[in-house]
């Protein structure tokens, strides 16, 4: 279980350190001055103290992040480059110390631990990285053994712990090989075995598949899913790939500019993201854009002689219902399908369609109401002039 | 060549090996920890102590910038305090070691700098203490680079030891100067130079072999 409450992180760039120290000194001087002066001094109250610093040398990497990942669940955080994903995940095991806020992992407040308690706590949090970070000087077995050596475990005990992990990750025949002799996927398997060696309750994955090809990505994600199911491990993973979210996450958060802007169950997110950024991620992923020629003719407002172009997303029962033909019959509109696609998002089936609704304005409006009444997610992309 | 001459050359070769060997080992024993300190006390490093780091850096740079021949003379009182004399091979070992320590330290620091920061981060995420990171990550991962640095140091020590010999340190340099230059015996001069060349080649090959053996990349 992972709970972040109101976590913020600011970086102060180094070249301005002297200036910052100066202004901090000035800030410290102000309250004492105030204390010395009477309340009726008539001086204007200095509001400058908690004014947010719009300083170019202060980078707000995380802002008031609240996140809860229940035990045994897989939570994805997706965002563009520089959104603060790595900072967020590194705040969980305090590789990065939050500027403010609370980080609770398995009931333990991480930010208040002494450094030796923090090391103990980190034994119960595994982490894997985009570039694997295996020690080149150690073979596969010894890499997986490293966290156990750090805990002071005996050699014989280490063996007993490491071998099953190498079996689990499919590396039993590679124990004596060095990382340089392994493929990317194999390296990440070693990293996963290493992260699991200390029997952690929580696994953090920082872009764990971003350096791998799609097929290898698939097999690594499958391994993570197995681990989640077999060991009941809580997984927090960050990624910029919707594919990763789609194939293993239960819930997903969207991060932008250091803030979590949207959180949803994965099925809901893929059906109807609530934010613009969410929709952009989804559209990019589905590659379901209206044809270019149509986009050029799209107008934002309905005119006298136009009809709407809509994007329909439907899941569950709606997928197997002949809605389009019913729509034509019951609402008396014609439906011209421009693009359509069926995706399976874990156990759910998701249908997507871009279509023109042809008919009088009154009828097409009714048709949209009808679709929404049948639990379809309808987004009007625009209106096109009738050709005829 | 007389057998006395051969004995002289043999003795001088052994003296040089002795000076290079002892000062090499001592400078490694002291220089490697100093290099590690220079690295781990940097800002944002695992034992960040910026002020200490600056002091160590300045001291190291001073050690590196004093020409060896001046260093040798300047520390004569110190040498006397340690070995009781300021001439001979034992006396030469003191300035050789002192000159080599900062040299080794900077080369070790450079080797550590080559380690991807992600490896240290991974160890930290496993709850490694700074001491464990040094022993299990930094030193093993930089092993090849450190051996390369020590090889460069030993080769440099061979030529420095010849310089030390010139001012009464014994060894091949001493022999070359005394017989080859002062008494104008070109054969001796050539032989000492040839032995020095072979010695440098030998150390370099040994170093390269050890680097290859430790390199898993
Ligand atoms: N050590 C640091 N010092 C200063 N700024 C930093 C530091 N680390 C990160 N940042 C800044 O914080 C912001 C968030 O960075 P972060 O690495 O968390 O992004 P990310 O979402 O992981 O990006 P990517 O997908 O490229 O890895 C960026 O603007 C980055 O420049
Ligand atoms: Mg990142």
């Amino acid at each position: 279980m992972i709970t972040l409450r109101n976590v913020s992180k600011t970086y102060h760039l180094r070249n301005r350190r002297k200036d910052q120290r100066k202004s901090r000194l000035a800030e410290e001087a102000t309250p004492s001055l105030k204390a010395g002066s009477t309340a009726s001094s008539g001086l204007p109250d200095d509001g400058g103290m908690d004014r947010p610093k719009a300083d170019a040398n202060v980078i707000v990497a995380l802002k008031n992040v609240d996140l809860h990942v229940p035990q045994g669940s897989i939570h994805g955080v997706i965002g563009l480059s520089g959104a603060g994903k790595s900072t967020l995940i590194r705040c969980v095991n305090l590789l990065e110390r939050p500027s403010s806020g609370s980080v609770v992992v398995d009931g333990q407040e991480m930010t208040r631990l002494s450094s030796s308690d923090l090391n103990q706590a980190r034994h119960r949090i595994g982490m894997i990285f985009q570039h694997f970070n295996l020690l080149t000087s150690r073979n596969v077995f010894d890499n997986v053994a490293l966290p156990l050596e750090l805990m002071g475990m005996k050699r014989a005990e280490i063996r007993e712990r490491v071998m099953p992990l190498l079996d689990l990750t499919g590396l039993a025949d590679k124990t004596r090989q060095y990382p340089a002799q392994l493929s990317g996927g194999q390296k990440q398997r070693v990293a996963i075995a290493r992260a699991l060696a200390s029997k952690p309750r929580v696994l953090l994955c920082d872009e764990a598949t971003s350096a791998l090809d799609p097929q290898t990505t698939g097999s690594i994600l499958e391994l993570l899913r197995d681990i989640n199911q077999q060991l009941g491990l809580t997984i927090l993973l960050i990624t910029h790939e919707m594919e990763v979210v789609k194939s293993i996450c239960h819930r997903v958060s969207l991060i932008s500019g250091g803030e979590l802007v949207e959180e949803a169950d994965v099925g809901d997110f893929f059906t109807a993201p609530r934010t613009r950024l969410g929709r952009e991620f989804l559209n990019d992923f589905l590659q379901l854009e209206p044809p270019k020629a149509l986009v050029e003719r799209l107008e934002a407002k309905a005119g006298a002689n136009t009809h709407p172009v809509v994007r329909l997303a439907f899941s569950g029962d709606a997928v197997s219902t002949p809605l389009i033909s019913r729509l034509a019959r019951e609402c008396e509109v014609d439906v011209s399908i421009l693009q359509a696609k069926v995706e399976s998002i874990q156990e759910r089936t998701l249908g997507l369609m871009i279509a023109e609704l042809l008919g009088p304005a009154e009828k097409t409006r009714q048709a949209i109401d009808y679709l929404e009444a049948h639990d379809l997610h309808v987004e009007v992309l625009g209106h096109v002039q009738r050709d005829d | 060549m007389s057998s006395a001459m051969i004995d002289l050359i043999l003795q001088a070769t052994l003296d040089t090996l002795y000076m290079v060997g002892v000062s090499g080992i001592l400078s490694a024993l002291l220089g490697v920890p100093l290099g590690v300190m220079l690295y781990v006390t940097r800002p944002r490093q695992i034992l960040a102590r910026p002020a200490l780091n600056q002091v160590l850096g300045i001291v190291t740079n001073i050690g590196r910038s004093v020409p060896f021949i001046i260093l040798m003379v300047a520390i004569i009182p110190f040498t006397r305090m340690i070995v009781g004399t300021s001439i001979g091979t034992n006396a030469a070992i003191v300035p050789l070691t002192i000159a080599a320590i900062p040299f080794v330290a900077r080369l070790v620091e450079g080797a550590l700098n080559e380690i991807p920061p992600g490896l240290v981060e991974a160890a930290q995420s496993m709850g490694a203490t700074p001491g464990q990171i040094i022993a299990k990550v930094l030193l093993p991962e930089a092993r090849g680079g450190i051996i390369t640095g020590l090889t460069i140091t030993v080769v440099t020590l061979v030529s420095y030891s010849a310089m030390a010999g010139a001012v009464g340190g014994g060894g091949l340099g001493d022999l070359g100067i005394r017989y080859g230059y002062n008494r104008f015996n070109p054969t001796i001069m050539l032989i000492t130079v040839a032995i020095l060349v072979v010695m440098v080649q030998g150390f370099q090959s040994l170093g390269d072999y050890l680097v290859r053996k430790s390199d898993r990349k």
Side-chain angles (χ1 to χ4, degrees):
Chain A
M1 193 198 70
I2 303 169
T3 308
L4 304 191
R5 262 185 240 108
N6 211 12
V7 168
S8 297
K9 173 77 191 178
T10 44
Y11 290 110
H12 299 268
L13 291 195
R14 260 190 285 177
N15 51 356
R16 278 291 190 84
R17 185 173 279 178
K18 283 214 179 84
D19 297 5
Q20 279 166 13
R21 199 173 296 156
K22 246 182 255 160
S23 68
R24 211 176 303 137
L25 282 179
E27 280 173 9
E28 277 160 15
T30 321
S32 59
L33 263 181
K34 271 190 192 163
S37 62
T38 60
S40 60
S41 65
L43 285 169
D45 198 20
D46 181 11
M49 296 248 316
D50 35 25
R51 201 192 304 135
K53 280 180 238 169
D55 187 339
N57 293 290
V58 175
I59 294 173
V60 181
L62 288 180
K63 206 159 129 197
N64 305 335
V65 167
D66 285 300
L67 179 69
H68 178 72
V69 185
Q71 183 61 43
S73 124
I74 305 182
H75 194 108
V77 175
I78 190 164
L80 297 169
S81 190
K85 304 184 296 291
S86 296
T87 309
L88 172 63
I89 203 159
R90 291 158 55 85
C91 276
V92 175
N93 60 0
L94 255 69
L95 281 182
E96 215 69 74
R97 188 166 278 278
S99 308
S100 63
S102 125
V103 177
V104 179
V105 180
D106 275 331
Q108 202 167 29
E109 171 60 58
M110 300 290 287
T111 57
R112 279 202 288 272
L113 296 178
S114 69
S115 68
S116 71
D117 287 345
L118 177 60
N119 285 335
Q120 292 299 318
R122 281 173 173 168
H123 293 322
R124 295 186 294 276
I125 305 173
M127 187 165 189
I128 58 176
F129 305 84
Q130 177 172 3
H131 298 295
F132 324 124
N133 295 345
L134 300 178
L135 299 192
T136 58
S137 54
R138 288 174 170 242
N139 63 27
V140 169
F141 182 96
D142 290 332
N143 261 291
V144 179
L146 178 64
L148 303 174
E149 285 175 29
L150 297 175
M151 291 164 75
M153 200 180 268
K154 298 242 161 45
R155 196 74 198 166
E157 227 177 313
I158 288 178
R159 238 198 118 66
E160 260 165 49
R161 191 70 85 75
V162 171
M163 290 320 287
L165 282 169
L166 294 178
D167 282 332
L168 175 74
T169 48
L171 294 161
D173 55 337
K174 301 262 184 301
T175 29
R176 299 282 153 222
Q177 301 213 14
Y178 284 84
Q181 300 163 291
L182 302 176
S183 71
Q186 289 166 337
K187 284 184 199 166
Q188 197 59 290
R189 284 169 185 276
V190 179
I192 291 172
R194 178 175 74 173
L196 296 178
S198 58
K199 297 203 170 151
R201 308 278 292 138
V202 167
L203 181 65
L204 307 175
C205 311
D206 186 348
E207 304 262 9
T209 57
S210 299
L212 305 174
D213 61 63
Q215 250 171 330
T216 316
T217 294
S219 78
I220 293 292
L221 293 177
E222 208 170 295
L223 175 61
L224 290 176
R225 196 189 304 120
D226 287 351
I227 290 165
N228 165 255
Q229 281 164 5
Q230 286 175 28
L231 313 176
L233 200 69
T234 308
I235 299 181
L236 175 62
L237 65 83
I238 64 167
T239 182
H240 59 263
E241 296 167 319
M242 289 286 276
E243 185 63 40
V244 173
V245 174
K246 176 195 141 180
S247 53
I248 67 166
C249 293
H250 302 133
R251 256 181 108 69
V252 60
S253 296
L254 190 62
I255 187 170
S256 169
E259 293 181 86
L260 294 187
V261 292
E262 177 165 359
E263 186 182 327
D265 279 335
V266 165
D268 295 337
F269 183 69
F270 278 80
T271 323
R274 293 191 304 274
T275 57
R276 199 189 140 88
L277 181 65
R279 281 193 291 273
E280 278 169 19
F281 263 105
L282 186 63
N283 291 345
D284 263 7
F285 169 67
L286 296 170
Q287 299 272 309
L288 193 73
E289 292 292 326
K292 236 206 180 113
L294 180 73
V295 173
E296 280 162 10
R297 288 165 49 219
L298 272 183
E299 281 159 33
K301 283 222 161 61
N305 219 5
T306 62
H307 45 248
V309 175
V310 293
R311 182 203 305 279
L312 308 176
F314 41 100
S315 63
D317 291 342
V319 175
S320 48
T321 318
L323 272 171
I324 300 302
S325 55
R326 275 194 205 160
L327 191 68
R329 223 176 312 130
E330 292 177 27
C331 302
E332 295 167 19
V333 295
D334 287 320
V335 182
S336 157
I337 297 172
L338 301 171
Q339 280 190 5
K341 194 168 196 174
V342 175
E343 279 280 337
S344 58
I345 311 292
Q346 293 162 23
E347 276 86 59
R348 288 162 78 160
T349 308
L350 176 64
L352 292 137
M353 190 182 291
I354 291 179
E356 264 177 273
L357 301 181
L358 308 166
E362 178 70 8
K363 295 284 182 197
T364 55
R365 210 171 307 127
Q366 276 175 15
I368 290 172
D369 290 344
Y370 176 88
L371 291 168
E372 281 178 337
H374 285 79
D375 279 341
L376 267 77
H377 186 258
V378 184
E379 184 191 349
V380 179
L381 299 174
H383 304 266
V384 285
Q385 206 72 36
R386 207 169 307 184
D387 292 330
D388 47 27
Chain B
M1 203 185 325
S2 69
S3 67
M5 217 64 239
I6 291 175
D7 279 347
L8 262 179
I9 291 170
L10 213 59
Q11 186 58 47
T13 307
L14 289 177
D15 281 351
T16 294
L17 283 175
Y18 172 70
M19 283 190 288
V20 171
V22 175
S23 59
I25 288 168
L26 287 178
S27 61
L29 287 178
L30 297 166
V32 173
L34 178 59
V36 172
M37 287 288 282
L38 280 170
Y39 182 73
V40 297
T41 59
R42 284 182 184 179
R44 289 163 180 276
Q45 260 300 338
I46 51 172
L47 287 171
R49 302 279 188 286
L52 174 64
N53 185 264
Q54 289 223 320
V55 173
L56 290 176
I58 290 169
V59 170
T60 308
N61 285 345
I62 292 174
R64 297 264 338 255
S65 51
V66 179
F68 179 66
I69 205 95
I70 293 175
L71 177 88
M72 211 163 38
V73 177
I75 65 160
I76 281 177
F78 178 70
T79 306
R80 241 192 228 118
M81 206 174 82
I82 293 196
V83 294
T85 171
S86 63
I87 51 168
T89 46
N90 281 333
I93 284 170
V94 178
L96 283 174
T97 305
I98 287 179
I101 288 171
F103 194 72
V104 171
R106 282 297 184 203
L107 291 172
V108 168
E109 187 191 12
L112 294 172
N113 210 23
E114 294 296 305
I115 300 174
L119 300 193
V120 171
E121 214 159 74
Q124 282 175 320
S125 79
M126 294 171 213
T129 62
Q132 288 175 321
I133 292 174
I134 292 170
K136 292 186 182 285
V137 179
L138 293 181
L139 290 177
E141 286 295 310
R143 192 167 53 200
I146 291 175
I147 297 173
T148 304
L150 291 178
T151 309
I152 297 173
T153 307
V154 168
V155 167
T156 308
L157 280 172
V158 171
S159 70
Y160 277 15
S161 79
M163 234 190 282
V167 292
L172 289 166
D174 184 35
L175 185 74
I177 293 278
R178 271 193 291 134
Y179 289 81
Y181 184 75
N182 293 343
R183 297 185 197 172
F184 202 69
N185 182 339
T187 322
I188 296 281
M189 181 98 108
L190 275 177
I191 290 174
T192 55
V193 170
I195 294 175
L196 286 172
V197 168
V198 170
M199 213 179 261
V200 166
Q201 289 288 350
F203 283 129
Q204 188 63 52
S205 304
L206 177 67
D208 290 347
Y209 167 75
L210 290 175
V211 170
R212 259 200 320 278
K213 233 181 73 168
S214 74
D215 194 11
R216 300 290 184 184
K217 276 170 214 147

